[in-house]
Amino acid sequence: MKVFFDERQLGHAPDTYFRRGAAMPHPEQPQRAEILRDMLAGEGFAIAAPRDHGLDPIKAVHNPDYVDFLPHAHARFVASAGPDALAIPTMHPGLRRGKEPRDIHGQMGWWMTDTSTPLTENTWDAAYWSAQTAIETAEAVLSGARAAYALCRPPGHHAMRDCANGFCFFNNACIAAHHLTSKFKRVALIDVDVHTGNGSLDILYERGDIFFCSLHPDPATYPTFYLGHADETGEGAGLGASLNVLLEQGASQDDVLSALDTALAAIGEFAPDALVVSLGFDMAADDPLAAVAVYPDGFAEMARRLAALNLPTALVQEGGYLGPSLADNARAFLTTFREATT
Ligand SMILES: [Zn+2]
């Protein structure tokens, strides 16, 4: 199984964000990727760096104006607010009527929905190479690989067409899925990160050629990402091509695997030609953001069932934070997927 990662993804190192009324340490740390990278090397995966595929594959799923805003945003913020200020927006346009302002602070609120995507000096490089890693993985699948894994960081599945959200800047999984449609007529994207793939839902909601399904606790309460409710099934050409499978908070591993079977049955009905997996490990029982209880053997079983779809597959890393079992969960999933696809 081919594996891709670029060291420039480690450059995004946010210290702090605001949550529940307090500034707190940001969980999306470079160390996450270092742990996964070192585990992969220890398991004998050959890790390759992605080529540079440019901005076009990113702009194919994101608003080009949003993409063009990001490269210079941090420098402009520092020029305005000074080097010690937190590059986090503090105003937002609500329902987004109006126009993009020219002022950097207003623009940050225009293109970023919350406080969880602080800009740092190297954020652009990290997000850019995270997306390139996903594109390279899709390229490997387009070239005939049965399976390939993108060690993406920052993650992507909360990023919407027009904005950063929930630690995410570019929706790497949607970029990979769209890239695959150059060859595969029908693609399925399944999101097994514990959080709703609200960004993917936003981007794919009116597409009939990419089926999207996400497993997550009710977004009305955990945590509030606004999208991902059971009655959101797509619109227009995409009607029926979105599926949200809701879990109880505290769901057991068996509950999660049962929900996975529901999603896999729906994917089977869609009859895709290729698969993308938004692969989070934050369903782990000991994840710092834990909401359900999956253990390494559960991640291995998820890998077995996903591989049994027998589809060319791009695995795209999403969440999974600095809990004690992060490496064990990733090892269980990825070595099982490798064995099942070779
Ligand atoms: Zn997550």
Side-chain angles (χ1 to χ4, degrees), residues 227-245:
L227 297 180
H229 300 274
D231 62 355
E232 294 165 15
T233 58
E235 276 180 7
L239 188 62
S242 292
L243 173 67
N244 295 288
V245 183

Side-chain angles (χ1 to χ4, degrees), residues 146-164:
R146 167 70 172 85
Y149 168 63
L151 175 42
C152 288
R153 189 239 159 226
H157 71 148
H158 298 306
M160 301 184 178
R161 181 177 182 277
D162 290 333
C163 45

Side-chain angles (χ1 to χ4, degrees), residues 123-174:
T123 296
W124 165 255
D125 266 357
Y128 181 83
W129 287 102
S130 187
Q132 298 302 326
T133 298
I135 297 162
E136 191 68 53
T137 298
E139 283 281 324
V141 172
L142 286 170
S143 300
R146 167 70 172 85
Y149 168 63
L151 175 42
C152 288
R153 189 239 159 226
H157 71 148
H158 298 306
M160 301 184 178
R161 181 177 182 277
D162 290 333
C163 45
N165 172 257
F167 309 168
C168 303
F169 295 91
F170 292 141
N171 195 310
N172 304 309
C174 283

